[in-house]
């Protein structure tokens, strides 16, 4: 069993850990338990570390794998059962609030297959902001031949709790105009750029404009095929029957202060999710794992 190399680093205001094991390297920020990058030695990065990302206390990071919890996207677009969990008159932020909170590092340790880093979100006595429910939250990242990410929600309260969530992964690509996604043919998706209309996917998904789609009843595995970089990124989901695919394209990217005008070309978000009719209701004492395994291999 080889010993992982762990280095403490700081990106502007944020404390981070750089974890190396074998040929793989992982960068994780304490704020949000936010995985910032994942790369294999001698290869292009798998997870996109945006060179214009801002690493500030209390500000969400547009890069890596933000944790969206306990709701996803625009709060008012969530099912009533998710909205009913919130008790606040303040305007809700998109994607919940845990991605801007400080998590605690439980430990980083080697095992037979790699190295495991675990984080937990401390529960304040008064509850989380505007969301007074006792739900334990833990994120585990296992670095080996592949990257395994698991987000565990455990209901410690005496009443059911309903939530939506996502691992909002930004994947690095050579040029989004030249890649495609396999595994979606025949699925129904909600096109949020076209008045949230339901549409049926025909064939593989290629990109020629702004894309913001919620795919329903998704299979366990999806793939990003990148001929220019001669690789296939394979995603295997756990505890999820929905996925969100997003790229801002030219006009929207130009309005994002924390993305270069051409940044949209270099990334593609495929978000392993529990959204729409796939939300999670936890009975008292119950838990749920939302996870994704990410690997890459050469085409051919």
């Amino acid at each position: 069993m080889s010993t992982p190399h762990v280095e403490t680093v700081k990106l502007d205001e944020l404390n981070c850990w750089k974890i190396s094991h074998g040929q793989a390297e992982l960068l994780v920020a304490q704020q949000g338990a936010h995985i910032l990058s994942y790369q294999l030695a001698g290869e292009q990065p798998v997870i996109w570390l945006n060179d214009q990302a801002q690493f500030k206390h209390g500000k969400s990071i547009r890069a890596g794998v933000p944790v969206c919890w306990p709701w996803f996207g625009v709060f008012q677009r969530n099912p009533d059962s998710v909205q009913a969990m919130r008790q606040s008159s303040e305007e809700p932020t998109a994607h919940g609030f845990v991605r801007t909170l400080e998590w605690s590092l439980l430990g980083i340790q080697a095992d037979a297959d790699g190295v495991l880093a675990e984080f937990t979100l401390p529960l304040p006595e008064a509850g989380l902001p505007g969301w007074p429910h006792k739900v334990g939250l833990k994120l585990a990242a296992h670095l080996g031949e592949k990257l395994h990410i698991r987000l565990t929600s455990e209901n410690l309260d005496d009443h059911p709790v309903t939530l939506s969530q996502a691992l909002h992964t930004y994947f690095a690509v050579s040029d989004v105009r030249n890649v495609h996604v396999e595994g979606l043919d025949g699925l129904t998706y909600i096109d949020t750029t076209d008045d949230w209309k339901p549409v049926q996917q025909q064939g593989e998904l290629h990109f020629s404009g702004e894309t913001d789609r919620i795919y329903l009843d998704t299979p366990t595995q999806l793939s990003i095929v990148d001929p220019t970089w001669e690789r296939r990124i394979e995603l295997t989901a756990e505890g999820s029957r929905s996925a969100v695919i997003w790229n801002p394209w030219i006009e929207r990217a130009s309005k994002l202060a924390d993305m270069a005008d051409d940044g949209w070309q270099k990334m593609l978000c495929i978000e392993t999710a529990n959204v729409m009719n796939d939300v999670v209701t936890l009975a008292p004492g119950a838990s749920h794992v939302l996870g994704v395994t990410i690997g890459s291999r050469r085409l051919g």
Side-chain angles (χ1 to χ4, degrees), residues 127-149:
L128 294 165
W131 203 81
H133 311 289
K134 297 177 182 177
V135 177
L137 198 59
K138 183 172 76 173
L139 186 128
H142 188 273
L143 183 64
E145 291 185 3
K146 299 179 179 181
L147 175 62
H148 306 268
I149 308 170

Side-chain angles (χ1 to χ4, degrees), residues 21-25 38-40 111 113-116 141-148 294:
H21 178 80
Q23 299 296 305
E25 182 179 279
Y38 166 56
Q39 186 166 5
L40 303 175
D111 60 23
D113 301 314
V115 58
L116 177 67
H142 188 273
L143 183 64
E145 291 185 3
K146 299 179 179 181
L147 175 62
H148 306 268
I294 299 167

Side-chain angles (χ1 to χ4, degrees), residues 115-129:
V115 58
L116 177 67
E118 293 184 295
F119 299 83
T120 188
L121 183 67
L123 280 175
E125 281 293 325
L128 294 165

Side-chain angles (χ1 to χ4, degrees), residues 219-266:
T220 301
Q221 185 163 309
L222 300 175
S223 298
I224 301 171
V225 179
D226 191 334
T228 303
W229 282 353
E230 298 182 331
R231 77 173 181 192
R232 175 190 300 272
I233 299 175
E234 296 178 335
L235 292 69
T236 305
E238 176 184 3
S240 167
R241 294 184 294 104
S242 51
V244 181
I245 299 184
W246 178 71
N247 183 281
W249 218 252
I250 301 169
E251 183 178 352
R252 189 168 175 188
S254 69
K255 299 175 182 177
L256 300 174
D258 53 356
M259 180 183 286
D261 286 351
D262 64 350
W264 61 273
Q265 298 177 27
K266 305 170 185 177

Side-chain angles (χ1 to χ4, degrees), residues 64-181:
V65 190
V67 175
C68 304
W69 190 98
W71 62 82
F72 174 82
V74 176
F75 178 73
Q76 292 82 0
R77 285 287 188 177
N78 280 262
D80 291 344
S81 57
V82 173
Q83 295 189 47
M85 294 288 103
R86 186 171 184 269
Q87 298 178 18
S88 175
S89 59
E90 297 182 8
E91 184 67 21
T93 58
H95 296 318
F97 47 78
V98 302
R99 59 184 177 153
T100 58
L101 298 180
E102 290 291 300
W103 292 51
S104 297
L105 176 66
L106 293 176
I108 301 173
Q109 59 185 13
D111 60 23
D113 301 314
V115 58
L116 177 67
E118 293 184 295
F119 299 83
T120 188
L121 183 67
L123 280 175
E125 281 293 325
L128 294 165
W131 203 81
H133 311 289
K134 297 177 182 177
V135 177
L137 198 59
K138 183 172 76 173
L139 186 128
H142 188 273
L143 183 64
E145 291 185 3
K146 299 179 179 181
L147 175 62
H148 306 268
I149 308 170
R150 304 178 90 230
L151 180 69
T152 302
S153 304
E154 182 181 6
N155 187 0
L156 306 173
D157 225 323
D158 59 2
H159 58 267
V161 176
T162 301
L163 55 92
S164 62
Q165 58 183 342
L167 298 169
H168 191 312
T169 311
Y170 289 76
F171 289 97
V173 296
S174 61
D175 188 322
V176 71
R177 295 167 294 188
N178 298 329
V179 307
H180 65 268
V181 179

